[in-house]
């Protein structure tokens, strides 16, 4: 397997999961601003990381789909949902929330130029985006108040995904320590050996 990633992007989540799984894999680094280059577009025509090339040459894209794929491909690692209807629902509910609400809330904060060409309005766009991010983090902070992991009281692919967004939270105007439970989760995950290996490989820190 070969994972194409951009340092610190959402592709960090499947990178962490691959470290947890412990099977051999390669890394292909894509520099920021280079996802529309012909070489990478040949891998993923959408021009986004992550992309995972399987041994048989199949190319998998989209972080959520890759995470779920890895959990099902390596069931002995117990990184997916338990085989009950309720557990699968909880897994998909939170995966959908992280993908559909939390992740896109950051887009206008990080890249306001996608939404408007007048630089004078970037600050206003970031302020509006921050309110949405803050609302997401407040909800997640309440949810994690009595939890060590997102679901089932064990490490799953959801935790790798949530870690990415908590790490991004360190760039926000509000101190991330104000989200007491998420900050505890971030610290806990930062001490995980697989997380540390992935961050070292990507040359990033908290």
């Amino acid at each position: 397997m070969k994972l194409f990633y951009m340092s610190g992007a959402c592709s960090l989540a499947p990178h962490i999961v691959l470290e947890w799984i412990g099977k051999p894999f390669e890394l292909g680094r894509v520099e920021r601003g280079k996802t529309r280059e012909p070489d990478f577009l040949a891998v993923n025509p959408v021009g986004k990381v992550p992309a995972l090339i399987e041994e048989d040459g199949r190319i998998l894209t989209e972080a959520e789909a890759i995470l779920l794929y890895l959990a099902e491909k390596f069931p002995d690692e117990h990184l997916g949902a338990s085989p009950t209807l309720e557990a699968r629902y909880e897994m998909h509910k939170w995966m959908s929330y992280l993908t559909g609400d939390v992740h896109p809330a950051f887009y206008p904060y990080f890249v306001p130029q996608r939404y408007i060409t007048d630089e004078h309005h970037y600050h206003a766009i970031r302020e509006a985006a921050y309110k949405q991010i803050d609302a997401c983090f407040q909800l997640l902070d309440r949810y994690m108040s009595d939890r060590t992991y997102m679901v089932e009281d064990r490490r799953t692919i959801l935790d790798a995904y949530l870690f990415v967004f908590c790490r991004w939270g360190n760039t926000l105007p509000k101190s991330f320590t104000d989200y007491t439970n998420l900050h505890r989760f971030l610290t806990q995950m930062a001490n995980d050996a697989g997380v540390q290996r992935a961050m070292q490989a990507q040359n990033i820190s908290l």
Side-chain angles (χ1 to χ4, degrees):
M1 291 183 289
K2 182 173 183 177
L3 176 71
F4 286 88
Y5 75 96
M6 183 186 298
S7 289
C10 66
S11 47
L12 176 61
H15 189 170
I16 290 169
V17 170
L18 286 168
E19 293 288 354
W20 287 345
I21 291 167
K23 303 296 184 184
F25 68 94
E26 299 177 60
L27 290 171
R29 181 183 174 114
V30 182
E31 297 297 336
R32 200 166 302 278
K34 300 293 185 180
T35 56
R36 306 299 300 180
E37 295 291 321
D39 285 350
F40 185 67
L41 288 176
V43 176
N44 184 6
V46 178
K48 294 193 303 183
V49 293
L52 182 71
I53 301 182
E54 268 286 22
E55 291 91 338
D56 60 6
R58 286 179 300 123
I59 299 175
L60 313 177
T61 61
E62 301 298 330
E64 176 180 354
I66 292 173
L67 290 169
L68 291 166
Y69 174 88
L70 290 172
E72 291 195 30
K73 181 177 181 178
F74 300 99
D76 291 346
E77 302 304 323
H78 304 290
L79 295 171
S82 296
T84 67
L85 185 62
E86 180 181 10
R88 292 198 303 272
Y89 162 75
E90 287 294 319
M91 172 68 68
H92 285 278
K93 178 186 76 173
W94 286 111
M95 190 65 75
S96 295
Y97 182 72
L98 294 178
T99 298
D101 290 81
V102 181
H103 194 180
F106 279 93
Y107 294 160
Y109 187 81
F110 285 150
V111 283
Q113 62 271 25
R114 284 187 182 179
Y115 305 93
I116 196 167
T117 57
D118 188 345
E119 295 183 12
H120 294 93
H121 296 293
Y122 286 2
H123 180 70
I125 290 175
R126 286 193 173 101
E127 280 192 332
Y130 170 68
K131 290 179 181 178
Q132 182 60 39
I133 296 167
D134 182 51
C136 291
F137 276 160
Q138 287 191 47
L139 183 150
L140 287 164
D141 193 61
R142 291 191 297 271
Y143 172 74
M144 293 296 290
S145 64
D146 58 350
R147 291 174 172 83
T148 302
Y149 303 103
M150 282 203 76
V151 294
E152 300 196 45
D153 199 29
R154 61 178 171 84
R155 186 177 69 180
T156 71
I157 54 176
L158 280 171
D159 300 301
Y161 208 14
L162 178 59
F163 173 76
V164 171
F165 305 123
C166 288
R167 181 179 169 276
W168 291 358
N170 279 329
T171 69
L172 300 177
K174 182 176 181 178
S175 172
F176 201 70
T177 58
D178 289 351
Y179 307 107
T180 307
N181 303 303
L182 287 181
H183 185 258
R184 168 177 48 80
F185 170 83
L186 177 67
T187 303
Q188 164 195 309
M189 288 287 289
N191 289 322
D192 178 276
V195 172
Q196 291 177 349
R197 287 193 299 272
M199 292 180 66
Q200 183 176 16
Q202 295 197 13
N203 195 29
I204 56 176
S205 62
L206 285 183

